[in-house]
Amino acid sequence: MDETEKENMELLSVEEAAAYLKFSTTFLYRLAREKKIPHVNYGRHIIFRKSDLYNWLGSMVCPAMEV
């Protein structure tokens, strides 16, 4: 597995994911609770795959308007 693949499979805690997305942890918990962001519930923990967060952001990009 090369470095890019390792980075894409990296698991993030709520705090790490919030820092990566530049969101507050409160907002991230809310998105997870409302099932609006890809995550894994593992017992009492919520974890995120960095690649899922990157793809999730990409899916929300709005196209630019033509001038």
Side-chain angles (χ1 to χ4, degrees):
M1 190 179 296
D2 67 10
E3 288 302 313
T4 303
E5 290 173 320
K6 286 181 186 176
E7 183 176 314
N8 286 340
M9 295 306 295
E10 183 179 356
L11 299 177
L12 304 175
S13 67
V14 172
E15 292 78 14
E16 292 167 330
Y20 176 67
L21 296 170
K22 297 181 176 43
F23 291 166
S24 70
T25 56
T26 303
F27 183 60
L28 197 56
Y29 275 116
R30 188 177 77 183
L31 289 175
R33 183 178 62 249
E34 295 173 356
K35 298 184 185 337
K36 292 183 177 179
I37 192 167
H39 67 284
V40 175
N41 287 323
Y42 186 74
R44 294 182 61 199
H45 302 280
I46 298 174
I47 55 176
F48 302 87
R49 282 191 309 195
K50 195 172 191 178
S51 60
D52 289 341
L53 298 178
Y54 183 81
N55 292 332
W56 175 75
L57 277 178
S59 72
M60 297 184 350
V61 173
C62 297
M65 292 178 47
E66 290 187 34
V67 181

